[in-house]
Amino acid sequence: MAERIDRRAALALGGLGVGALASAPLWAQAMVDLGLSDGTGQRPLSDAFPGKKGMVLQRSRAPLLETPMAAFDGALGDDPFTPNDRFYVRWHYADIPLSVDAAAFRLRIGGAVKRATALSLTDIQAMPRVEVAAVNQCSGNSRGLFAPRVPGAQWGNGAMGNARWTGVRLRDLLDRAGVAPGVVQVKLSGLDQAPGEAPHFAKSLALDHARTDEVIVAYGMNGAALPLLNGFPLRLIVPGYYSTYWIKALDSIELLTAPDTGYWMEKAYRIPATADAGVQPGAKDFATVPIGRMPPRAFFTRTTPQQARGIALGGDAGVAKVEVSVDGGQSWKAAQLGPDHGPYSFRRWAMPLAGLPRGSHEIAVRTVNTRGAGQKATPIWNPGGYMRSSIETARVVVA
Ligand SMILES: Nc1nc2c(c(=O)[nH]1)N[C@H]1C(S)=C(S)[C@@H](COP(=O)(O)O)O[C@H]1N2
Ligand SMILES: [Mo]
């Protein structure tokens, strides 16, 4: 089994020294332009991080590495999974696990449980195994496209990736420990450490959600162990939800009898309680709710005078259709869709463009999911730079 995690795998992955986090000199690197709203989107591509290559360097410590859109490109029939070595990376705090001893590692399940439990990776891999294809997207993906600009990581569209995640159901883990009466939430946290008095990164899911078939604790990613930077040896997978909940290097599950009032639930990752999560630029003092499900989105990965193509995600449901407009959104034509890998996966799309007259054309792409949710032309705004999901455009010049 390719995902089998043994001690040797951990040692091979354990070489991430702090020195390795320094980037190569900027002059030695290829640059990309993320097309950010304020024109400051030029970034180097970096090979300096263990297990990663050709990543858009946003920040070295804590690592923020973006996937260049070209890494998502492929023909309609190509699988729509993001290679592990191109998968984006985001950590809040610089003190991240630099090596993990897989033999000594334990996942602790405590709080309001019938028996406090600690499971080894061997214990976990002996449990019923499940797999899900799902997009992991940062809540702030595309934040750098917000106008007016908002503070935070200035991501282009590449703070997302799609993988086949293999692991065990969170429910099965909870049942090993036994859920005590009165539990309302499940709090999850990992091996990374907060500096000083800062709050440890932890997120909580409602018990009902945590017990669904879909929420899994993964040890495998695209048929291999998780890269250290993507949460080796275990991470939470919450299909259809933004990845703030997808706790990496997961080592603690705590059952709560009252809602989590920690900083990362009460203060951070909250969106306006409006229908589209948008408010007027500059608005303050509006009601908020925790960010949750993802809306549908479609992206270009390559546009030539002959063909436009890309990827789409349905968010919390499958991609029902993808449509392309070459006339400024007046008319739309259905694109061809690639193979369906389930409701939470990317799906490839392609549209022939041959026949466009000479000149410069703006091409637009939009998707509708199987719940009937679509995309709007006008971008939303909120101060966190969360949940951008408006229609994307690309320009093609026919000579
Ligand atoms: N332990 C831990 N898990 C974490 C985080 C973190 O800082 N620490 N960041 C979350 C956020 S906000 C994102 S966007 C994703 C990024 O996942 P990736 O680095 O595998 O792409 O991890 C999530 N899980
Ligand atoms: Mo994120």
Side-chain angles (χ1 to χ4, degrees), residues 145-171:
L145 306 177
F146 270 58
R149 191 181 191 273
V150 292
Q154 298 298 299
W155 297 116
N157 284 337
M160 61 175 185
N162 184 39
R164 280 195 172 99
W165 309 96
T166 312
V168 298
R169 291 205 172 94
L170 177 57
R171 182 179 65 223

Side-chain angles (χ1 to χ4, degrees), residues 257-339:
T257 53
D260 182 354
T261 55
Y263 173 84
W264 295 104
M265 291 298 291
E266 288 262 284
K267 300 276 189 283
Y269 289 104
R270 296 184 71 94
I271 54 171
T274 56
D276 64 355
V279 288
Q280 284 302 311
K284 292 190 189 78
D285 300 329
F286 46 83
T288 64
V289 291
I291 196 166
R293 296 164 182 270
M294 299 188 290
R297 300 188 74 179
F299 301 92
F300 292 90
T301 59
R302 186 161 180 258
T303 314
T304 67
Q306 287 72 43
Q307 187 201 46
R309 68 187 192 187
I311 49 175
L313 65 126
D316 64 346
V319 171
K321 63 179 173 188
V322 172
E323 297 175 313
V324 172
S325 174
V326 297
D327 59 8
Q330 287 174 53
S331 65
W332 296 86
K333 232 175 101 180
Q336 285 175 273
L337 295 181

Side-chain angles (χ1 to χ4, degrees), residues 88-90 92 136 138 192 201 230 235 243 246 248 269:
Y88 87 103
V89 175
R90 192 264 193 272
H92 289 84
N136 161 338
C138 179
D192 45 331
F201 186 73
N230 298 106
R235 88 172 298 171
S243 58
W246 298 38
K248 300 196 283 187
Y269 289 104

